[in-house]
Amino acid sequence: MFPTLTPPQIERIAAHGRVRPAARGEILIEAGDSAVPFFVVKSGEIEIIRPSSLGDTLVVIHGPGKFTGEINLIQGRRSLTRARVSEPGEVVQLTREQLLSLVQTDAEIGEIVMRAYIYRRVELAAQGVGDVVLIGSVHSPATLRVKEFLTRNGHPFRYIDLDRDPDVQGLLDRFHIAANDIPVLIGRGDVVLRNPANQQIADCLGFNESIDPTHLRDVVVVGAGPAGLAAAVYAASEGLNALVIESDSPGGQAGSSSKIENYLGFPTGISGQELAGRAYAQAEKFGAEILIARGATGLTCQRRPYTVTTDAGQPIPARTVIIASGAQYRKPSLEKLSQFEGAGVYYSATFMESQLCANEDVIVVGGGNSAGQAAVFLAQAARRVYMFVRSGGLAESMSRYLVRRIEETPAIELKTCTEIVALEGTDHLARVRVRDNRTGATSEQEIRHVFLMTGAVPNTVWLAGCVALDGNGFIKTGPDLSKDELDAARWPLSRPPFLLETSLPGVFAVGDVRGGNIKRVASAVGEGSIAVAFVHRVLAE
Ligand SMILES: Cc1cc2nc3c(=O)[nH]c(=O)nc-3n(C[C@H](O)[C@H](O)[C@H](O)COP(=O)(O)OP(=O)(O)OC[C@H]3O[C@@H](n4cnc5c(N)ncnc54)[C@H](O)[C@@H]3O)c2cc1C
C-alpha cells in the first residue's frame, strides 16, 4: 500500500508536473474535494486524516518517497481524506491528467501507483473508512440492494444494523430518522438519503461528477459487464475517446458470481467482483469514462453521429456504439416473488448472501453452470443445499468439473423433476411449496433462502427496433444477418457488416446480448476487445 519511490523514479514523476515547497499546516487536499492533485513527498511529511463529526482519525503519515492518493484520484471522484503538511519540505505535484498520462506511459511507475491505489481502496473498504454511513437491517431487501451497489462500486462505507448495533438509537435521533425510513444513507457528514435509488446514491457521492456527457465520443459503450469493460480498456488504451454507460454497477452478471474458475490466468479462481473491480480500474487508468447508475433508454439511429439517450435525460453523441447490455435473470412466475426478493430470494450467490444463510438449509433452482457454482459455493456455509432441477437431470451444458464437484459434495442434494410453485412467509421467506413433476404431488418445505439461477433474457428492449434481433430478442451481427434483414434495415454500404457489427453501420453488439454468443466471461471479454478493432475501421471509413 505504501511503497517508497526511489530518487530516479521521483525525478521521472517530477518531469510530468512541478516541484514546490510545502509549508507546515498547509492543507494540500481537503476531504470532499474533486479534481484532487497527486503529491510525492521529496522532503518533510504529509499526514492523511479522515475527518468526521466524531473526531479526526489519522490514517497514515507519508514521509520522503511516499505518495498520496487512492483509486478515486484515477476515477476523478471526491477525496475521502484530508492531506495536511505535518513537517515542512518539498513535494512534487501533478494534476489528475498529468498523473493519468504518467501511469499510461511509464509502465514501472504505473504499476507501483495502480497497485498501491487498489490495495489502499481495498483496505479502506475493509475498515469501512469512507464518507458514508449506511443504517439498515438484515431483514430489508432495500438494504441489501444499497449494500450491493456500494460494494460493487468499491465505495467504502460503515454499516450500522438497526437490529444488532447498540449505538444506532443515537444516530437515529441525531438525524431525525424513523426506523421505517431505512435503509438510510448518511453521506459526507450530513446529507441524509432515505431509501435512496442507486442513481441518487451515485449523485450524492459524485460518481459521475467529472464526466461531460454532451461531448462527442469516438465510441459509447452501453453496459459495463465483462464485454463492455473489455471494450473500454481496449478502446481507451488504443487512444479512442470512450464513454461507458452502466445502468447499475460495473461487473454485470459476472460481478455477482462468487467464484469464476474457468477464466484464463486465474488457476485458483477469482470472484466476479474482484475481476470487475480490476477491469474497472484498468479502464479508468487508460482514460475511459464510466457513467454509473445511468441506463441507456434509446438509440437515435436515423442520423450520424448517433445519440444514446439515458434515464438522466442527457443525450450522448457517439461516432460508434458498442452494445454490451448483456442479459437479465429469468424470473419464474411465482406469486409474491417480488415481496421476497432480497428477503429470502436471491439471484446471485456471493460472499454477502452466503453470510445470510450460514448453517441453514438453502434451495438453489436451476441446472446450468451458474446454479452449479452457486450450489458448490453455498455448500461451504449452508447446512444443506437442495438443488432443484425441473428436468430429469443437470443441463448438458454444465461444465464437467462442476458436475463432479456437485456429485462429490455431500451437503448438496440434487432433486430432479422438482420445482417451487409457491413462496410463503411474512417479512421474510419462511417456506416454499414444492411440486414433484413426476407425480404432480405437492409438499411444503421450511426454507428461508432460495437462489434462483435459471438463465437470462437479453437487455434489448431499450433499442426499440433500431437493430435486427433474432427470435429470442438477441442482437444479430456480421454474417448472421441475412440479405433480407440488411435490406429491411436499409444497410447503406457496399461492404457487408463487419464481424460483431449490427444491421446499423458502426453499431456493434458484444457479449451475452449478441445472438449466438457463448455465455462465458472469456467470450464476452474477447468480443468486447475484438469489436474495438472494427471501431477503428469504421472511424477510418
Ligand atoms: C451467477 C453467475 C455466475 C457465472 N459464472 C461464470 C463463470 O464462472 N464463468 C464464465 O465464463 N461465465 C460465468 N457466468 C456468465 C458470465 O457472467 C456472462 O456470460 C458475462 O457476464 C456476460 O458479460 P456481458 O458483459 O456480455 O453481460 P453482463 O454481464 O450481463 O453485463 C451487462 C451490463 O449491462 C448493463 N446494462 C443492461 N442494460 C443497460 C442499459 N439499458 N443501459 C446501461 N447499462 C445496461 C447491466 O447492468 C450489466 O452491468 C456467470 C453468470 C452468472 C449470472
Side-chain angles (χ1 to χ4, degrees):
M1 274 195 290
F2 303 112
T4 307
L5 297 164
T6 62
Q9 286 169 338
I10 296 176
E11 286 316 305
R12 270 174 17 226
I13 295 173
H16 285 256
R18 67 189 175 107
V19 178
R20 71 164 182 90
R24 188 194 304 277
E26 186 185 352
I27 306 286
L28 299 173
I29 300 165
E30 187 50 276
D33 280 357
S34 38
V36 171
F38 167 78
F39 294 98
V40 180
V41 183
K42 282 195 85 173
S43 59
E45 275 178 3
I46 299 174
E47 50 184 23
I48 304 299
I49 294 156
R50 181 169 70 97
S52 117
S53 44
L54 306 171
D56 294 354
T57 316
L58 180 66
V59 179
V60 67
I61 296 178
H62 291 310
K66 305 288 185 189
F67 55 89
T68 60
E70 52 105 22
I71 203 73
N72 62 356
L73 205 168
I74 299 287
Q75 296 172 324
R77 293 190 189 163
R78 295 176 198 148
S79 176
L80 300 176
T81 51
R82 174 186 301 148
R84 183 171 60 200
V85 179
S86 47
E87 284 299 328
E90 229 179 12
V91 291
V92 178
Q93 177 171 346
L94 271 65
T95 61
R96 173 174 173 259
E97 289 66 34
Q98 288 168 331
L99 175 68
L100 281 178
S101 140
L102 172 72
V103 297
Q104 286 163 19
T105 51
D106 189 318
E108 185 194 30
I109 293 174
E111 188 186 326
I112 295 171
V113 170
M114 287 304 291
R115 186 188 297 142
Y117 278 9
I118 290 169
Y119 284 147
R120 287 179 193 182
R121 175 48 71 104
V122 168
E123 185 62 18
L124 287 174
Q127 292 186 7
V129 173
D131 50 358
V132 174
V133 175
L134 173 66
I135 306 174
S137 158
V138 277
H139 304 298
S140 133
T143 299
L144 187 64
R145 170 183 57 82
V146 175
K147 272 174 111 171
E148 263 176 14
F149 183 71
L150 291 170
T151 306
R152 286 182 62 174
N153 279 291
H155 197 91
F157 63 99
R158 191 174 147 214
Y159 176 64
I160 296 179
D161 198 288
L162 199 60
D163 308 304
R164 296 179 180 173
D165 206 304
D167 302 332
V168 71
Q169 196 55 48
L171 263 177
L172 296 180
D173 294 345
R174 185 162 145 214
F175 289 99
H176 310 290
I177 300 165
N180 56 8
D181 287 335
I182 61 126
V184 171
L185 194 96
I186 305 173
R188 292 184 298 124
D190 51 5
V191 181
V192 177
L193 300 179
R194 292 169 166 80
N195 192 7
N198 291 350
Q199 208 175 84
Q200 280 176 282
I201 302 174
D203 290 343
C204 167
L205 301 178
F207 283 180
N208 301 321
E209 223 165 44
S210 61
I211 300 175
D212 173 8
T214 59
H215 178 63
L216 175 64
R217 303 304 203 287
D218 292 328
V219 56
V220 167
V221 182
V222 178
L229 288 172
V233 166
Y234 281 82
S237 68
E238 290 169 16
L240 298 180
N241 183 333
L243 174 75
V244 184
I245 307 171
E246 169 52 53
S247 56
D248 192 356
S249 316
Q253 297 169 71
S256 65
S257 169
S258 44
K259 199 161 200 180
I260 299 167
E261 292 195 60
N262 55 358
Y263 188 56
L264 189 73
F266 295 92
T268 56
I270 182 165
S271 78
Q273 206 169 302
E274 199 183 342
L275 185 68
R278 288 175 186 218
Y280 184 24
Q282 198 174 9
E284 291 195 303
K285 169 185 132 173
F286 287 119
E289 296 175 295
I290 304 180
L291 272 175
I292 299 294
R294 293 283 184 274
T297 50
L299 176 64
T300 310
C301 47
Q302 293 78 11
R303 60 179 177 276
R304 293 172 80 170
Y306 298 119
T307 311
V308 180
T309 47
T310 71
D311 48 17
Q314 73 272 65
I316 302 175
R319 291 195 174 93
T320 64
V321 176
I322 297 181
I323 302 168
S325 48
Q328 233 175 28
Y329 307 109
R330 187 169 284 133
K331 298 186 178 184
S333 58
L334 286 172
E335 219 185 299
K336 301 190 190 166
L337 181 65
S338 58
Q339 180 187 332
F340 294 120
E341 283 175 343
V345 171
Y346 316 95
Y347 297 96
S348 60
T350 67
F351 179 66
M352 220 178 314
E353 286 84 13
S354 75
Q355 281 179 313
L356 300 174
C357 55
N359 299 318
E360 293 189 53
D361 291 353
V362 306
I363 292 174
V364 173
V365 178
N369 269 344
S370 56
Q373 277 172 3
V376 170
F377 174 70
L378 291 168
Q380 296 167 22
R383 186 172 49 201
R384 188 141 207 88
V385 178
Y386 296 97
M387 218 178 154
F388 281 18
V389 184
R390 218 167 20 180
S391 61
L394 296 172
E396 298 230 321
S397 57
M398 186 183 279
S399 307
R400 297 313 304 163
Y401 84 89
L402 270 177
V403 175
R404 253 200 333 273
R405 293 259 174 89
I406 291 166
E407 287 166 357
E408 288 166 5
T409 307
I412 302 178
E413 189 173 322
L414 180 64
K415 297 212 156 226
T416 55
C417 302
T418 304
E419 70 180 297
I420 296 177
V421 290
L423 304 167
E424 285 160 24
T426 47
D427 293 349
H428 196 280
L429 181 70
R431 74 199 71 82
V432 293
R433 180 150 281 281
V434 179
R435 184 173 58 210
D436 181 333
N437 286 340
R438 279 167 295 225
T439 62
T442 63
S443 57
E444 233 172 45
Q445 183 170 349
E446 300 288 317
I447 202 98
R448 285 173 35 80
H449 307 284
V450 170
F451 292 81
L452 296 174
M453 303 283 171
T454 47
V457 284
N459 290 320
T460 46
V461 173
W462 65 277
L463 287 161
C466 256
V467 295
L469 307 177
D470 70 12
N472 293 319
F474 290 89
I475 302 174
K476 291 189 103 174
T477 55
D480 291 346
L481 285 157
S482 66
K483 180 164 181 325
D484 288 351
E485 281 164 330
L486 289 176
D487 289 345
R490 297 205 181 91
W491 178 259
L493 306 176
S494 54
R495 66 161 175 85
F498 290 126
L499 187 76
L500 306 177
E501 197 172 20
T502 67
S503 56
L504 261 184
V507 176
F508 298 84
V510 295
D512 277 16
V513 77
R514 196 180 69 79
N517 155 277
I518 304 298
K519 308 233 164 337
R520 293 279 187 277
V521 174
S523 43
V525 168
E527 290 181 11
S529 49
I530 294 168
V532 173
F534 295 110
V535 164
H536 285 293
R537 286 168 65 175
V538 169
L539 291 175
E541 270 177 344

